[in-house]
Amino acid sequence: MLISKISLQTFKELPSEAEAISHQLMLKAGLIRKVASGLYTWLPLGFRVLQKVEAIVREEMDKSGALEILMPAIQPADLWQKTGRWQKYGEELLRIKDRHKRDFCFGPTHEEIVTDLARSEIQSYRQLPICFYQIQTKFRDERRPRFGVMRSREFLMKDAYSFHESEDCLQKFYKKMHLTYNEIFNRCGLEFKSVEADTGSIGGNLSHEFHVIADTGEDSIAFSTESNYSANIELAESINLQLKINEEKKLKEKIETPKVKTIKDLINFCDIPIEKTAKTLIAYASEEASSELVALVLRGDHTANETKIEKLKLIEKPFRLASEEKILSTIGVNPGSLGPVGLNMPIIADKAAANLVNFTVGANEDAKHFFNVNWGEDCNFTEIADIRNVENGDASPDGKGSIQIKKGIEVGHIFQLGDSYSKKLNVSVLNSKGKKFYPVMGCYGIGVSRIIGAAIEQNHDQSGIIWPSSISPFQVVIIPIQMHKSKEIHDKTYEIYEKMKKLNIEVLLDDRDVRPGVMFADSELIGIPHRLIIGEKSLAKGQIEYKSRNQKASEMISVEKIIEFIKALII
Ligand code: ATP
Ligand code: MG
């Protein structure tokens, strides 16, 4: 293709709103343009990449035996009401009304629609297992759209749903899908890890996420230094190897702590180790609790894990912390001086906090703290639970090695859902004995558009993108020097270009009448793997300069051999 024909507009300046390098490069290289927050147009170059990724996903899904379908993006509310997700999904669900004032939503995912489809399409166990998939636009009204196409509101997802007669069959298929996902991400040239994950609002028993390890990742992944253990930090269990501290218990002492609002203020003011402090959070209680609020106590150096907390019986779903005003009106203290002593509500202590001896906490009086507090003597907990995030250096939950935390971009997610959707939507199938059963389901998502951002995060340098060749918009870029002044250069360039096109080599010819420097910079920015420079001096010697995008040095190749040379690189 001719560059002059693809309306390429690249930018030198970094777009100011883009935090992630992939977002910056996608805008700079003219792959996408922003329409509104979290909404993008894919320009010709970017769209080619999107189609490449889509083709890889489609090929591998087809290989797995999954059947491609296309469901509507707009979904009727009544199906969502039946599964309870019309309420539960929250503000990410874009709800719309049609002209008859009937409720609909723009699908953020398709469990409801596909389960309803199973009602009409699957009657007998003989049709199972079956897996339907689609590659389609989803909409999620994200609280904070950012990183360009990596967390957008409208995005392309591959979603697949499988139906089975038994858990056993689901597990076999789940393993197969795991392998299919490995193949897809490998083919996209990504370095990735599959990790155990939380099943979240979708429900179900088991799930794995596929993460591209990159600093801009929004998820934290816990890895063991010694074993294969890896899990999203949302799920990673904290195990307490540390036994009770062998220290004589002292008498508690109230101290004045003016201006102390945070744990950091407290350790600076009192000069005590942070591990000897505890912080108290106040959350809304579920109906199981005897009071409106519940206290959560964590060691001062630890952070609360909302996913774990939300699973506790005593906690309201979704998990909600009490506001400063609520704390002041109910407990009569500002959050900076909260503590478990004398607190009239259930107290959940984190495993590590429950081990503390002679620790420092807020005294439930403004600007006052207690030193040397002890469980049993000064306060009691209702239960001990794992409610914190694991940290670098913690013992790995499998007992082998310690935890190391890295940032990950979630590009895929697979779930074993069980029969909750088929039950809620009352979709049953006949077994070999003619008896009805609810099929168990799996669901399998891939962020097709997110893959592109993630691939750039992993493959770029100072000058721009370095596409993995499998998803590059073009394989070769030809840069002729002064073609508009030299007939010889012009003819040779077009001769090579046409030959390559005949061989179905995806070639881009920079036919613009611009300075060579501009052509070089653009070719590096848009990241085409192979570059040929056709210049007068080298051509006089019968040579063309070749440079690979991911190598510094270039080499001279004879004109006669250039096509063969490129062909060998691409295949
Ligand atoms: P996240 O935790 O990043 O919000 P999720 O758990 O909500 O992801 P799933 O519901 O599992 O995501 O969706 C399947 C896949 O769709 C994800 O693995 C991810 O690659 C992609 N995806 C989800 N949300 C977005 C988004 N806002 N923009 C682009 N891709 C997304
Ligand atoms: Mg999400």
Side-chain angles (χ1 to χ4, degrees), residues 417-485:
L417 288 176
D419 60 6
S420 66
Y421 285 89
S422 46
K423 263 190 182 147
K424 280 180 189 151
L425 292 169
N426 197 20
V427 173
S428 58
V429 175
L430 294 179
N431 71 11
S432 58
K433 301 197 173 77
K435 245 184 100 192
K436 279 183 180 176
F437 69 94
Y438 293 109
V440 286
M441 292 170 60
C443 79
Y444 318 88
I446 288 186
V448 177
S449 36
R450 187 181 281 184
I451 284 180
I452 294 158
I456 298 174
E457 289 294 323
Q458 276 189 341
N459 300 283
H460 67 269
D461 63 12
Q462 296 287 330
S463 319
I465 302 166
I466 308 174
W467 288 115
S469 67
S470 59
I471 61 171
S472 180
F474 290 90
Q475 298 301 320
V476 185
V477 55
I478 303 178
I479 299 183
I481 310 291
Q482 309 279 16
M483 175 170 77
H484 299 271
K485 292 191 185 135

Side-chain angles (χ1 to χ4, degrees), residues 89 92 140 142 151 155 410 450:
Y89 213 90
E92 261 184 40
R140 294 183 181 180
E142 297 280 353
R151 184 164 301 283
F155 59 97
E410 181 195 316
R450 187 181 281 184

Side-chain angles (χ1 to χ4, degrees), residues 237-240 297 349-356 384-388:
E237 189 193 349
S238 78
I239 53 165
N240 247 357
V297 180
D350 178 62
K351 284 186 199 169
N355 269 343
L356 287 170
I384 301 179
D386 172 17
I387 55 171
R388 72 171 177 98

